[in-house]
Amino acid sequence: ANAVYITDQLKSNNVQVVSVTQPVDMSTSAGELQQNIQFIFAQYDNQQRREKCMAGVRQMLSNGDWPTKPPFGYDTVKINGKRSIIINEKGRLLARGLRKKLKTDLTFKELSQWLSTKGLKISNKQLSLLARNVFYCGYMSHAALNGKVVKGNHQGIITQKEFLALNDLLKARFKERKKVNKSNIEEVPLKGHLKCSKCSNNLTVIYAKS
């Protein structure tokens, strides 16, 4: 559809789109029809390639192999001619950080600062996303899997038990924050009365651990 639209816009500016391998006479209605048919077949060919590619991706994932570049903390290497995903030094430091958070309940900002002293520069927002990624406990989630989670052939930087405990901790912290936002708080008497000037929604309150 975009090809037809762009070709039409170019034509209105006296620019003609010409196919090198399948030239047609664009000065006639038959030529325009033939070019539009070429666009349709090109789209069909792209869709066929995509379906084959996605089928290959799904097959790799089903076999436990990650099809693209691995997430932060991992490297791709070839061992005896076979592609393998291994934990690198950043991954080992990240594992130490996630276990430290699980034991001490540091905020992600505090954890980011602690990791920085160990030589790993990573933002608190990135840490928050990584802590929720099942890849780091040896499993895989991908759009091609349609919501399924499969066991990967790679080694997790933390165990499944540690991952679940960490995410339970994060869920509890989120519920606690939500509960604070909904309750009447003496320190913020204007809660529920102040509204955003742009969207008119109530301004919320969040307690941050210092």
Side-chain angles (χ1 to χ4, degrees):
N2 282 335
V4 174
Y5 172 76
I6 292 170
T7 301
D8 187 59
Q9 293 298 304
L10 290 171
K11 184 179 178 182
S12 66
N13 287 278
N14 298 318
V15 178
Q16 184 176 339
V17 176
V18 179
S19 171
V20 177
T21 57
Q22 297 171 302
V24 294
D25 184 5
M26 289 299 297
S27 63
T28 66
S29 57
E32 284 191 29
L33 174 62
Q34 190 173 347
Q35 186 179 67
N36 290 340
I37 291 173
Q38 289 173 2
F39 290 150
I40 292 172
F41 275 106
Q43 182 186 27
Y44 172 73
D45 184 57
N46 286 339
Q47 289 173 338
Q48 289 283 298
R49 291 173 186 271
R50 183 179 182 279
E51 287 175 5
K52 289 179 181 178
C53 179
M54 291 307 296
V57 168
R58 279 191 291 270
Q59 186 60 49
M60 279 192 70
L61 290 166
S62 298
N63 293 337
D65 297 319
W66 189 252
T68 57
K69 181 181 177 181
F72 178 90
Y74 286 90
D75 287 328
T76 302
V77 297
K78 277 197 173 183
I79 302 175
N80 297 325
K82 184 179 179 182
R83 177 178 178 267
S84 298
I85 294 175
I86 61 171
I87 304 170
N88 57 28
E89 184 58 32
K90 291 181 179 178
R92 285 186 280 273
L93 281 172
L94 177 61
R96 286 180 60 190
L98 294 179
R99 289 191 175 104
K100 186 174 182 65
K101 177 172 177 59
L102 186 57
K103 291 179 181 178
T104 62
D105 196 18
L106 290 174
T107 65
F108 283 119
K109 184 176 181 180
E110 291 169 336
L111 183 58
S112 173
Q113 293 169 346
W114 182 82
L115 286 170
S116 180
T117 64
K118 305 299 179 183
L120 180 59
K121 302 287 185 181
I122 184 169
S123 70
N124 56 318
K125 289 184 179 179
Q126 190 177 2
L127 281 171
S128 177
L129 292 173
L130 297 184
R132 294 169 170 83
N133 190 341
V134 295
F135 195 92
Y136 292 101
C137 69
Y139 285 78
M140 300 185 301
S141 176
H142 193 280
L145 292 172
N146 298 319
K148 289 198 304 181
V149 175
V150 299
K151 184 77 173 69
N153 292 326
H154 64 283
Q155 180 185 358
I157 65 171
I158 58 176
T159 66
Q160 183 183 359
K161 185 178 179 180
E162 288 172 328
F163 177 82
L164 294 174
L166 178 60
N167 277 266
D168 284 343
L169 182 67
L170 297 177
K171 288 177 184 176
R173 176 62 64 83
F174 176 75
K175 288 180 180 178
E176 183 182 336
R177 263 206 321 263
K178 204 170 181 182
K179 186 177 180 181
V180 169
N181 289 341
K182 289 184 176 180
S183 62
N184 295 322
I185 308 170
E186 187 177 344
E187 292 86 348
V188 281
L190 295 180
K191 183 177 182 296
H193 300 282
L194 293 177
K195 296 183 180 294
C196 175
S197 60
K198 293 182 179 179
C199 65
S200 299
N201 288 328
N202 289 333
L203 297 180
T204 58
V205 178
I206 295 177
Y207 276 130
K209 186 177 178 182
S210 60

